[in-house]
Amino acid sequence: MSRFLLRRFATMVLTALALTFAVFALTNLGPNLVKLAKTEASVRMTDAQVASWLSRNGYARPTLARYGEWLGVLPGWRGADADGRPRGRCLDRAPDPAAAPRRCGVLQGDWGFSTAFKSGVIAVIGRSLGATGWLMAWVMAVMVPTALALGVLAGMREGSRTDRTLSTAAIVTTATPEYVSGVVLIVVLASSTVGISPLLADWGLIGSRTLFLGTATSAMERITFWNFALPVLTMALYGTGYIARMTRASMTEVMREQYIRTARLKGVPFRAVILRHALRNALIAPFTVIMLQFPWLLNGVVIVETLFNYKGFGWTLVQAAGNNDIELLLGCSVVAVVVVLVTQLISDVGYVYLNPRIRVA
Amino acid sequence: MEPIGGLAILGRAAAQFAPVFVAVAVTFALSLRHRRRLGLYGKLFGSPVAMTGFAIVMFWVFTALFAGWIVTHDPLAQVSGMRNAGPGAPLTGAGAPYPYYLLGGDSLARDVFSRMVMGARRVLAIAPAATLFAFMMGITLGVPAGYFGGRLDTLLAFIANLVLAFPVILLFYLLVTPEIRATGIPRVLAAILFLFPILFLVILWNSRFFTNPRKRVIYLGVTLVVGLWAYAGLAFDADPLGLLGMDPNLLNVFVAVVFVNAPTVFRIVRGLALDIRTRDYVAAAQTRGEGSWYIMLWEILPNARGPLIVDFCLRIGYTTILLGTLGFFGLGVSPESPDWGSTINDGRRLLTIAPHPAVVPALALMSLVLGLNLLADGLREESLRD
């Protein structure tokens, strides 16, 4: 087991390095740097001025070297500006240039400065991750129990009417991406002109103009049912169908096993067969699926936060990409990549741990 | 003139869609009649789920084909006074090609109905083609990886996992930007990705017909001439005849979507090849002394077709969702483009006041994906039956 973990961990580190390098290279392409120079210094710079700005600020060096510095394994560059004052990656941010460290990168905890938000990348990401954490927590709390229950119900008696209905519903939700279900939910539940809100307002059942709020901006301060239900529902819908289908497939497979038949022939009540014999085995596969949902949840987060204007991680990522905020985008990518890789690791390890039939030497 | 009501809108829309309904009906009548002779396609018509899915998919396919007849207005034309007009709103000025905006006008006073119909053409032009390219790439790399195993497999699987570990949206934000178009990276990627279909076909024909020189020359010749002509036109925009070409924006989107899809296909194909290579008929072919490529493409691949066809349907749906996502974030599309994702994005700003510009393409996209999913589900059941 420990050798498996070790190898898995080594692959993970290698993957993380390769991915962050790819992101670094793609965000630091020539045209991006030219754009950065023009937004930071002056829009009307000539090509020669841009080139000199880039070399003065340490951008005109090989990508690999700058990646090393950004990562914190190579010492930061040092140079001097036009007046002969010392400049450098680590010097510019330190209060006292003499005491500046040699290396300052992601590994040292220096993630850079966000040009769009005018504050440190760590602070921006920390704040946005906090907001997204709440969203994720609620989505998981809604999605996982619902999906597992629906999947088990559908898979319990294969081909029954419950199964047909639930399976069709699951297909419908997996065919509905977040930007479609979000739009439909807003129109039906949070529009003052159409849907059910005008009706309810006419009947005097609700005090405000709409039943739910179409934006989740106010949830940044205080989460209430009315401002948070729609984003959570939008995100949970797609995943619920998917996980429910996986659970159903796994449940039907288990229900065909010999030991289930044995249990039933012994005269164990159906409920007990499901709860005691089938459930644990049927939940192994969905566990992997749920863990592997995290990367996809990241996508959902980006769409839902943009749609509902909730300033979390996904919203920040869009802002960073839209504003050519290179260091923030890099920071976001590091977080995203780490989340994806860690969940993959947990999924693999958990699968081995839960499934007694798999043994890793 | 008064705005027309819900029933009248439905009736008029149905009249516009008449060619589509006729075409779907003809397809179904012909297929049902000859279903016994049509193999897997004929079996589709044994399952209600698959038939429903197929009907929805064919509806959109014919809509895309006949879009020119269905539209009531120019999808780009703006008519004054029609901004955010409700469904069924009449046009005031004279000389309009059609007296109503059937599904209302959007925030730029364009006809929502016509844009939705034209959007179908755009989506269906890209999604199946991109999926096909992803499959070509996934198969060309996945079958050898599964069959040979070893270092090649480890390396390719590592690369595939790298791409899969990227959150898709981040990848899109990195790969589909005006800046990256300036560097020429999409062209390089296209040059690599578009090579795979030619490579695949060349190996396919060569491994089969290398004992029959005349056939081999014909098959390879046709493949290479057509393939390289299309390759020059699509990847480098250097078609000597000037017929084929791809707008840089579109190329960028296309390449990004193929790039995202190919690793998943690779994983599926690799898994299937790993399983099938242990079968007796593969051992028999090896004993006969067949070449590796022959075994891979003519013994293993045909026996993996069931799951691959099912995944192909699902993946077109997924690609449609991805294209919608790109449009939703305004990546790689011109602002006038009628594709569904960007129309949803345009409409969502006024969602609570004028919902129709966003809801119409949203429902269109959902129904197409739903049709594809139902079709895949039905196909899976039918192919499991035998």
Side-chain angles (χ1 to χ4, degrees):
Chain A
M1 188 72 184
S2 62
R3 254 195 76 191
F4 164 73
L5 270 180
L6 210 65
R7 255 188 61 189
R8 198 63 194 65
F9 192 74
T11 323
M12 199 178 105
V13 172
L14 193 61
T15 313
L17 285 177
L19 285 180
T20 45
F21 179 70
V23 178
F24 190 87
L26 283 172
T27 46
N28 282 279
L29 290 171
N32 290 70
L33 292 179
V34 171
K35 205 165 135 193
L36 178 78
K38 290 192 172 169
T39 45
E40 287 296 288
S42 151
V43 184
R44 266 167 278 164
M45 284 201 290
T46 61
D47 288 354
Q49 281 171 320
V50 167
S52 90
W53 188 90
L54 288 179
S55 74
R56 237 184 8 243
N57 287 284
Y59 287 106
R61 286 167 314 116
T63 310
L64 198 59
R66 290 203 298 119
Y67 173 70
E69 288 171 16
W70 171 79
L71 199 63
V73 292
L74 293 180
W77 68 279
R78 279 162 199 243
D81 64 3
D83 308 330
R85 263 179 311 213
R87 294 278 322 273
R89 182 183 158 83
C90 305
L91 299 182
D92 296 353
R93 290 171 200 142
D96 173 20
R102 259 168 58 82
R103 297 184 181 84
C104 50
V106 171
L107 293 178
Q108 282 82 23
D110 188 344
W111 291 39
F113 189 80
S114 156
T115 52
F117 292 92
K118 305 283 174 226
S119 76
V121 166
I122 291 228
V124 175
I125 289 185
R127 199 172 42 204
S128 62
L129 271 182
T132 298
W134 280 111
L135 185 61
M136 286 277 214
W138 278 108
V139 168
M140 281 298 182
V142 171
M143 181 172 76
V144 174
T146 324
L148 292 182
L150 290 179
V152 169
L153 273 180
M156 216 160 62
R157 288 203 176 89
E158 197 185 352
S160 66
R161 184 174 292 174
T162 329
D163 180 25
R164 296 259 157 213
T165 323
L166 288 178
S167 297
T168 314
I171 293 180
V172 174
T173 64
T174 45
T176 319
E178 292 89 354
Y179 50 88
V180 169
S181 52
V183 161
V184 173
L185 284 174
I186 290 180
V187 168
V188 173
L189 297 173
S191 158
S192 53
T193 50
V194 287
I196 62 166
S197 300
L199 280 179
L200 291 177
D202 273 357
W203 296 341
L205 289 177
I206 48 171
S208 55
R209 280 175 56 238
T210 60
L211 181 59
F212 288 95
L213 291 180
T215 73
T217 318
S218 57
M220 295 295 294
E221 278 104 49
R222 212 169 68 84
I223 294 172
T224 64
F225 179 66
W226 304 111
N227 63 22
F228 220 47
L230 288 189
V232 169
L233 200 58
T234 305
M235 261 184 83
L237 216 54
Y238 186 83
T240 306
Y242 188 68
I243 299 177
R245 283 179 79 171
M246 293 295 154
T247 316
R248 179 196 170 268
S250 149
M251 187 74 186
T252 52
E253 206 169 289
V254 170
M255 290 304 280
R256 285 195 215 113
E257 295 283 345
Q258 298 283 341
Y259 57 83
I260 296 292
R261 196 167 63 178
T262 314
R264 296 218 62 187
L265 292 178
K266 265 192 329 198
V268 181
F270 191 64
R271 273 177 67 101
V273 171
I274 299 291
L275 292 177
R276 211 170 298 149
H277 296 81
L279 213 52
R280 190 185 160 201
N281 288 308
L283 292 185
I284 296 172
F287 170 78
T288 327
V289 176
I290 293 170
M291 285 327 272
L292 293 179
Q293 282 287 300
F294 270 96
W296 160 83
L297 273 179
L298 274 177
N299 290 332
V301 158
V302 179
I303 295 174
V304 166
E305 287 181 359
T306 309
L307 188 61
F308 288 94
N309 205 13
Y310 182 69
K311 298 186 174 56
F313 181 72
W315 184 84
T316 310
L317 198 154
V318 171
Q319 296 301 318
N323 293 315
N324 196 35
D325 190 342
I326 295 175
E327 301 215 302
L328 184 57
L329 190 57
L330 278 168
C332 286
S333 322
V334 171
V335 173
V337 164
V338 167
V339 167
V340 170
L341 293 179
V342 168
T343 49
Q344 276 179 0
L345 184 69
I346 296 176
S347 142
D348 281 7
V349 175
Y351 192 75
V352 172
Y353 182 74
L354 283 177
N355 194 342
R357 273 169 285 196
I358 295 182
R359 283 274 171 267
V360 183
Chain B
M1 278 195 297
E2 289 291 302
I4 51 177
L7 272 179
I9 294 175
L10 266 185
R12 280 173 175 270
Q16 288 305 117
F17 275 117
V20 176
F21 290 130
V22 171
V24 173
V26 169
T27 314
F28 265 75
L30 284 177
S31 311
L32 278 172
R33 204 152 156 215
H34 303 289
R35 58 187 274 202
R36 305 224 174 279
R37 282 184 280 145
L38 291 172
L40 183 66
Y41 171 73
K43 274 197 204 141
L44 255 179
F45 295 86
S47 139
V49 174
M51 260 179 14
T52 319
F54 186 65
I56 301 177
V57 172
M58 286 324 279
F59 174 83
W60 285 114
V61 169
F62 285 121
T63 303
L65 278 178
F66 303 145
W69 299 344
I70 300 169
V71 290
T72 50
H73 294 87
D74 177 359
L76 298 181
Q78 308 178 348
V79 178
S80 66
M82 297 305 284
R83 177 171 300 167
N84 292 327
L91 260 67
T92 40
Y98 195 81
Y100 299 99
Y101 266 10
L102 280 178
L103 296 175
D106 65 5
S107 58
L108 290 173
R110 297 170 298 193
D111 183 23
V112 171
F113 177 78
S114 305
R115 287 180 70 75
M116 183 266 286
V117 171
M118 275 301 172
R121 178 173 274 186
R122 220 181 128 84
V123 168
L124 283 167
I126 306 176
T131 315
L132 192 68
F133 274 70
F135 261 77
M136 291 287 186
M137 187 170 174
I139 289 173
T140 319
L141 295 176
V143 182
Y147 182 71
F148 292 124
R151 289 251 174 82
L152 175 81
D153 181 33
T154 316
L155 180 73
L156 286 175
F158 180 73
I159 296 174
N161 284 336
L162 269 189
V163 181
L164 287 177
F166 259 112
V168 177
I169 289 182
L170 179 62
L171 202 59
F172 280 161
Y173 263 114
L174 295 174
L175 280 182
V176 189
T177 56
E179 284 83 33
I180 206 166
R181 246 164 273 147
T183 60
I185 290 179
R187 287 241 178 268
V188 176
L189 269 179
I192 299 170
L193 296 180
F194 290 4
L195 208 55
F196 278 99
I198 306 178
L199 200 66
F200 173 77
L201 285 176
V202 165
I203 299 172
L204 187 74
W205 301 135
N206 192 45
S207 61
R208 174 96 201 205
F209 297 119
F210 70 100
T211 48
N212 183 345
R214 259 191 61 202
K215 255 192 172 167
R216 169 160 93 160
V217 168
I218 296 173
Y219 275 84
L220 283 187
V222 171
T223 308
L224 283 175
V225 168
V226 175
L228 291 177
W229 169 56
Y231 183 70
L234 294 178
F236 295 105
D237 211 3
D239 176 13
L241 305 176
L243 281 175
L244 288 173
M246 230 171 173
D247 166 53
N249 260 334
L250 189 65
L251 184 78
N252 199 178
V253 169
F254 195 88
V255 167
V257 171
V258 174
F259 190 73
V260 168
N261 269 321
T264 327
V265 180
F266 166 83
R267 283 234 290 223
I268 296 170
V269 175
R270 174 180 168 271
L272 288 168
L274 267 177
D275 174 27
I276 295 177
R277 75 167 178 187
T278 58
R279 302 285 168 86
D280 288 345
Y281 49 80
V282 174
Q286 283 165 340
T287 321
R288 285 205 305 274
E290 303 282 8
S292 308
W293 282 107
Y294 178 85
I295 297 176
M296 282 187 258
L297 296 182
W298 292 94
E299 299 282 349
I300 293 181
L301 194 56
N303 287 298
R305 71 180 185 283
L308 285 185
I309 292 173
V310 171
D311 187 69
F312 188 70
C313 285
L314 281 179
R315 200 148 292 283
I316 296 178
Y318 181 63
T319 309
T320 310
I321 293 182
L322 284 185
L323 287 173
T325 312
L326 277 170
F328 182 78
F329 287 108
L331 293 171
V333 285
S334 59
E336 297 199 313
S337 155
D339 81 286
W340 293 336
S342 46
T343 324
I344 296 173
N345 185 33
D346 292 339
R348 76 186 164 90
R349 299 201 178 92
L350 292 171
L351 205 52
T352 52
I353 305 157
H356 55 275
V359 171
V360 170
L363 293 181
L365 190 143
M366 186 193 145
S367 68
L368 173 61
V369 180
L370 178 63
L372 286 162
N373 283 9
L374 288 175
L375 182 62
D377 215 53
L379 275 175
R380 185 185 295 134
E381 262 176 34
E382 289 300 311
S383 64
L384 278 183
R385 199 163 285 174
D386 46 42

